[in-house]
Amino acid sequence: MARSAAPPRGAWLVWGVGAACYFVALFHRASLGVAAPDALVRFSAGPGVLALFSALQLGVYLVLQVPSGLLADRMGPRRVITGGVVALAVGSAVFAVSGSILGGVTGRVLIGIGDAFMFTNVLRVAAQWFPADRYGRVAALTGLVGGLGQVLSTVPLTAALHGLGWMSTFLGAAVLTALLAVVAAGVIRDRPAGAVVEAAGDVGERIGRTLRLVVAQRGTKHAFWVHFVLLSQFLAITTLWGAPWLTGAQGVAGGTAGALLLVSAVGFILGSLVASQWIAGRPRRRERYTLAMSVLVVLAWVVIVAWPGVLGAPLLVVVLAVLGFGGGAAMLAFDGAREANAVHRSGAASGVVNMGGFLAAVLIQVLVGAVLEVVSVLPAVAAYRWAFVPVVVLLVVGTAGQWWCRSRPVGARRG
């Protein structure tokens, strides 16, 4: 096998700053899940209102995915990433000082806006600065960096909330995020010096035509369903319902709940590492692996729903590790999307695929919150078992979609 061409000088620095922005975005995205018990008190809210916070944040993210991808292709990632980081900083500051539901919603919506412009634009940086055969690995490494952001939002954030308080913790995060925006503006470059600027299609593709071409690819559809299953179930635990479920239904103390969510975050990192080193860039292996991981996470959620009573500590750790590892495998969706689409449509393709996981995540947040409101008279263990039934249903639908859109080669191909 021929060796891959080396990336241009400075590629890792440019990508590294972009990945740092994604790291911070993941910290802000997951912070509500860890701070959920404190948020219930601060905003005097029930589970339905808390679900609204998260659903609006993820809903804004979802709506902006295609615009984010198109902006990545047309404006360039430097300006878009910098603007996104500024929105994260402002959202964190608003969330820090607010004590009303309106203020809390405003802060989370701003965080959703900033988060929406991170991942697809970092992938656009990777598409421009790295050879095509390295793209899948760099994309998976980007997911790994995001997983580290999840780690920072578990035990350290819990400790900061208990030690420094709500306002100091989130205001401090806002200040550090604003400093990162300055670094991003100064370091990130859209493409290497001297690189040929690719037109968005030789005949000036319109947005509608770009999206039709992207969605028409079988690889895009398959990647959409991979992301729909593997990322959404991870977000269900880490962005909102993990801490309330652990403390309310599993009898876990607040500090221990943060440590258990750390298990999922570490699982995400390991899943991203495995994806980047042994799966990315190998189409047949990628399809088999993502389907197997989808089935595995469905089984893990069936255990959560069907297990009578409280899960034992060893089983709880295993289940959370599986959910996190599956979330890391979701990064392979972007490897498939990039392979199926031209480089000048890579941002749009990433945006379409990213919609998969966040569409399912929004549905999960809303449905779980609605069911919890209906079954609030039940003991917490039973209430959460019923509330998580929609998660299993959505994951089964997504796994079936993934299987239906798999490749059907005429002859065997090397995986």
Side-chain angles (χ1 to χ4, degrees):
M1 180 182 293
R3 293 184 60 187
S4 170
R9 183 187 179 96
W12 286 108
L13 174 61
V14 172
W15 170 82
V17 173
C21 295
Y22 181 56
F23 171 98
V24 169
L26 264 288
F27 166 82
H28 287 292
R29 180 196 299 173
S31 62
L32 179 59
V34 177
D38 299 84
L40 288 170
V41 176
R42 181 174 182 83
F43 297 104
S44 302
V49 173
L50 202 59
L52 176 66
F53 278 25
S54 183
L56 284 174
Q57 175 187 330
L58 296 180
V60 168
Y61 184 106
L62 171 66
V63 169
L64 291 177
Q65 278 316 286
V66 170
S68 172
L70 293 170
L71 285 173
D73 292 338
R74 284 160 176 77
M75 290 181 60
R78 183 180 70 86
R79 285 182 288 178
V80 180
I81 289 175
T82 302
V85 176
V86 170
L88 289 170
V90 174
S92 183
V94 171
F95 196 59
V97 301
S98 297
S100 68
I101 291 176
L102 178 60
V105 166
T106 301
R108 299 317 295 184
V109 166
L110 285 169
I111 286 171
I113 291 171
D115 187 12
F117 292 103
M118 289 300 109
F119 190 61
T120 52
N121 281 275
V122 177
L123 292 186
R124 179 63 173 170
V125 168
Q128 288 287 1
W129 281 84
F130 291 88
D133 59 353
R134 292 197 184 189
Y135 177 85
R137 293 183 178 180
V138 177
L141 285 173
T142 305
L144 188 153
V145 172
L148 293 174
Q150 298 270 12
V151 169
L152 190 65
S153 71
T154 54
V155 175
L157 179 58
T158 302
L161 284 168
H162 292 165
L164 301 176
W166 180 280
M167 186 175 297
S168 296
T169 296
F170 285 107
L171 275 180
V175 170
L176 293 175
T177 302
L179 292 175
L180 180 60
V182 176
V183 175
V187 174
I188 295 176
R189 294 294 178 267
D190 295 337
R191 60 187 61 85
V196 176
V197 179
E198 293 178 305
D202 293 337
V203 294
E205 287 177 347
R206 294 193 302 269
I207 290 175
R209 181 169 182 262
T210 297
L211 293 177
R212 286 195 299 272
L213 288 170
V214 166
V215 174
Q217 305 304 316
R218 184 211 60 82
T220 304
K221 297 185 184 79
H222 182 269
F224 176 94
W225 289 114
V226 169
H227 207 248
F228 185 99
V229 174
L230 294 177
L231 188 74
S232 66
Q233 57 85 33
F234 175 69
L235 293 176
I237 284 293
T238 57
T239 62
L240 181 59
W241 295 117
W245 170 62
L246 290 169
T247 56
Q250 299 299 309
V252 174
T256 306
L260 286 170
L261 291 176
L262 180 61
V263 170
S264 277
V266 171
F268 184 96
I269 292 170
L270 294 177
S272 299
L273 184 61
V274 169
S276 66
Q277 295 301 311
W278 292 288
I279 311 298
R282 299 171 173 88
R284 294 290 301 283
R285 183 182 299 181
R286 181 181 63 236
E287 288 197 0
R288 292 192 295 264
Y289 180 78
T290 52
L291 182 59
M293 287 306 307
S294 297
V295 172
L296 185 59
V297 299
V298 169
L299 292 176
W301 278 96
V302 168
V303 169
I304 291 174
V305 168
W307 192 265
V310 174
L311 278 69
L315 180 58
L316 189 58
V317 169
V318 170
V319 166
L320 290 172
V322 168
L323 301 188
F325 197 89
M331 298 302 103
L332 291 168
F334 300 99
D335 187 28
R338 171 64 186 90
E339 182 183 82
N341 292 276
V343 66
H344 64 268
R345 291 192 289 267
S346 62
S350 296
V352 169
V353 169
N354 219 17
M355 286 181 67
F358 286 90
L359 171 61
V362 170
L363 291 173
I364 285 171
Q365 305 295 41
V366 172
L367 292 172
V368 170
V371 174
L372 282 175
E373 292 284 359
V374 171
V375 300
S376 59
V377 296
L378 296 177
V381 174
Y384 273 97
R385 287 175 63 192
W386 281 108
F388 286 157
V389 168
V391 181
V392 175
V393 173
L394 287 171
L395 297 185
V396 169
V397 169
T399 301
Q402 184 185 149
W403 179 84
W404 181 257
C405 294
R406 74 194 187 284
S407 61
R408 298 171 176 84
V410 176
R413 293 183 301 170
R414 183 178 178 184

